[in-house]
Amino acid sequence: MLAAGVLGISPFLLKRVYLAGAGAVVSKSIGPVPRDGNKNPVIVGTDCGLLNSMGLPNPGVDEFIKELEKLEGSNIPIIASIFGSNVEEFELVAKKITRLSLIKAIEINISCPHSEISQIGQDPNLTEMIVKRVRDIVNLPLFVKLTPNVTNVVEIGKSAEKAGADALTAINTVRAMAIDVETAYPILNNIYGGLSGPAIKPISIRIVYDLYKSVKIPIIGVGGIKSWEDVIEYFYAGASAVQIGWGFIQYDMDIFYKILKGLLEFLDRKKINNIQELTGKTHNILSKS
Ligand code: RRO
């Protein structure tokens, strides 16, 4: 899947990504009303990935629906990433968005590392309450995107599962910062941002691995994927699917086909019929040794 946030909400760009080989595309996180996001600079490259502090820019749920209606009738599986600043806003956005037949799943964003919503994803009780309330009004598959910026991510994952989540997306970006050498000012106007890319892949692999031991629902791995080998690693750790965000920005649309091709060659070479056979393989090996 294309990860949330990468391509905004342009219906035709989302369609291009799907045609380029993504199994599904996740939208930019959508809230109840239009929001400009943070002041520039909101993005900075680092030696080991991208630091962003976009600040949840989005056109609001009503405009999002109008845009996406342009794709109604096509068969593109779109997953709507949603957020709100309180439970009523989450409910409102979820209610409106699920009226679109194009939306095949909802991903709840409680984990943006430089906004207030991260407070939800850092608290097991708030996580459980929000997920339960959205669960009550959403019949579609419900994913919950987790933050790595906590001491015990498994506790948060278990709260989401208890509240009725169908899958966990691990992970959102890692809270981080960069400083300009000449001026000593933080580079991002917001001071803090979220790091994505190669630096966070081993963190995400560890989190997927730990979650797999403690939850029964599927895990969607995300963070730093650029090759088919990265995808296999996520599956071995316990993922049942993956999302690509940074890799898509860093390379181009080809990344989906290149990864699919590499995966198919690997599965053929290993005589594996279904990639799901690889989910949690490292756990199986360790339990036997
Ligand atoms: O918009 C953002 O600044 C943003 C979001 Br909503 C998120 O979930 N993760 C991130 O790194 N940036």
Side-chain angles (χ1 to χ4, degrees):
M1 294 171 230
L2 179 75
V6 176
L7 265 192
I9 61 146
S10 158
F12 301 108
L13 276 176
L14 294 175
K15 184 173 179 180
R16 270 186 68 195
V17 175
Y18 176 64
L19 294 176
V25 289
V26 188
S27 74
K28 178 77 191 145
S29 294
I30 303 299
V33 290
R35 184 172 157 131
D36 287 339
N38 290 331
K39 290 206 178 87
N40 279 324
V42 291
I43 199 149
V44 55
T46 73
D47 292 345
C48 56
L50 267 186
L51 195 49
N52 90 84
S53 63
M54 303 301 291
L56 296 131
N58 79 99
V61 63
D62 296 329
E63 187 60 31
F64 175 75
I65 289 172
K66 260 194 231 154
E67 278 298 302
L68 274 245
E69 273 168 353
K70 295 177 187 163
L71 289 178
E72 284 282 33
S74 66
N75 227 0
I76 304 171
I78 295 185
I79 297 163
S81 168
I82 66 165
F83 76 92
S85 50
N86 53 46
V87 67
E88 289 77 22
E89 288 190 1
F90 270 98
E91 285 178 328
L92 176 88
V93 178
K95 226 176 248 167
K96 286 188 172 180
I97 257 177
T98 45
R99 287 190 206 129
L100 266 178
S101 62
L102 210 62
I103 304 295
K104 296 294 183 290
I106 300 286
E107 184 174 271
I108 308 183
N109 186 354
I110 50 170
S111 49
C112 175
H114 41 270
S115 79
E116 318 80 54
I117 59 170
S118 65
Q119 286 166 14
I120 303 169
Q122 288 171 333
D123 181 319
N125 297 323
L126 278 178
T127 297
E128 189 178 336
M129 189 266 287
I130 296 276
V131 176
K132 214 178 239 158
R133 295 279 287 269
V134 176
R135 173 77 288 170
D136 284 346
I137 51 174
V138 165
N139 285 324
L140 296 170
L142 190 61
F143 308 165
V144 177
K145 190 160 182 177
L146 301 176
T147 178
N149 306 303
V150 286
T151 310
N152 188 349
V153 67
V154 170
E155 187 186 22
I156 309 288
K158 281 164 80 171
S159 294
E161 180 180 48
K162 191 170 161 213
D166 294 301
L168 301 174
T169 306
I171 54 175
N172 208 317
T173 50
V174 176
R175 189 167 164 85
M177 181 178 175
I179 298 177
D180 181 71
V181 171
E182 293 299 326
T183 63
Y185 272 95
I187 296 179
L188 295 172
N189 191 293
N190 187 57
I191 303 178
Y192 302 106
L195 184 67
S196 56
I200 75 164
K201 198 192 85 183
I203 299 172
S204 186
I205 293 285
R206 182 265 299 170
I207 288 175
V208 170
Y209 182 83
D210 284 347
L211 286 169
Y212 185 84
K213 287 193 275 192
S214 298
V215 300
K216 294 197 173 62
I217 53 178
I219 302 159
I220 302 163
V222 54
I225 295 176
K226 62 176 179 334
S227 67
W228 64 267
E229 289 95 332
D230 294 333
V231 177
I232 298 287
E233 200 179 338
Y234 270 102
F235 272 72
Y236 285 167
S240 296
V242 292
Q243 295 178 352
I244 300 178
W246 167 86
F248 177 83
I249 298 171
Q250 191 67 26
Y251 300 96
D252 56 37
M253 297 247 182
D254 277 3
I255 191 165
F256 290 105
Y257 268 122
K258 282 185 186 146
I259 285 180
L260 285 174
K261 187 168 170 283
L263 285 175
L264 287 171
E265 284 166 7
F266 177 79
L267 296 179
D268 278 349
R269 178 156 57 83
K270 296 278 191 184
K271 304 201 175 359
I272 293 164
N273 286 323
N274 188 333
I275 193 165
Q276 300 298 332
E277 290 169 35
L278 303 183
T279 299
K281 186 164 179 180
T282 301
H283 298 265
N284 301 339
I285 286 175
L286 289 179
S287 70
K288 282 181 203 135
S289 60

